[in-house]
Amino acid sequence: IRGARLAASFGTAGGRSYLAGGMTSWREERRPVKAIERLDVEALHERKEQDEALQILDVRERSEWESGHIPSSQFLPYHDIEAVPEGADPERPVAAICGSGERSGVAASLLARHGAKHVIHVVDGGVGTWGKRGWPLERPQHVAAD
């Protein structure tokens, strides 16, 4: 089911879509090819320390976000990406992060499709790995009802 949801977010249905001849055929026909930069969590941390323009988009589910997220990151589940998120600058680099690297791959592709100029796919871990390395995580402050 999860694979089907990931495929559906790319616009494929029922697992019936494929690229005849694969990427080799695509390149031989001199069709356009674009790449999305990939970083692991450690490299993302280094980049965040050095590049104030870097935006981080957490594409996990709300319950995951509320359990802890990278300070100053934005939140939008991968399956809700229909444009560059409000408040994000499509001219600045944006790194998509999740819990493992799967959902962030889908999100990175969607962000690029919707006009983000420099998209980064965070691979080999995610927010949990960030926390395990001892780097800060934020949790929302819930105000108790009177």
Side-chain angles (χ1 to χ4, degrees), residues 60 67-71 126-132 134-139:
R60 300 173 301 154
S67 71
H69 54 270
I70 297 170
V127 178
T129 302
W130 180 281
K132 287 178 186 172
W135 300 321
L137 292 175
E138 292 180 340
R139 288 169 183 79

Side-chain angles (χ1 to χ4, degrees), residues 6-12 34-36 78 81-84 90 94 105-119:
L6 286 170
S9 66
F10 273 111
T12 59
K34 292 183 180 178
I36 292 177
Y78 78 97
I81 296 174
E82 296 177 354
V84 174
V94 58
V106 173
S109 179
L110 290 169
L111 289 166
R113 180 186 301 171
H114 292 302
K117 303 292 186 233
H118 183 173
V119 179

Side-chain angles (χ1 to χ4, degrees), residues 35-103:
I36 292 177
E37 181 180 1
R38 295 166 44 114
L39 291 178
D40 62 20
V41 177
E42 287 78 14
L44 175 68
H45 181 263
E46 288 176 27
R47 176 74 83 51
K48 185 177 186 303
E49 296 292 310
Q50 299 169 359
D51 185 358
E52 291 181 18
L54 179 67
Q55 305 166 99
I56 298 176
L57 180 63
D58 190 323
V59 300
R60 300 173 301 154
E61 298 299 323
R62 178 159 303 280
S63 61
E64 295 171 288
W65 164 263
E66 289 178 351
S67 71
H69 54 270
I70 297 170
S72 75
S73 62
Q74 287 185 270
F75 167 70
L76 182 63
Y78 78 97
H79 51 77
D80 290 341
I81 296 174
E82 296 177 354
V84 174
E86 187 175 324
D89 182 347
E91 301 297 322
R92 293 176 30 213
V94 58
I97 192 166
C98 63
S100 66
E102 289 181 34
R103 295 171 287 179

Side-chain angles (χ1 to χ4, degrees), residues 7-8 10-20:
F10 273 111
T12 59
R16 292 182 230 148
S17 299
Y18 65 95
L19 178 60

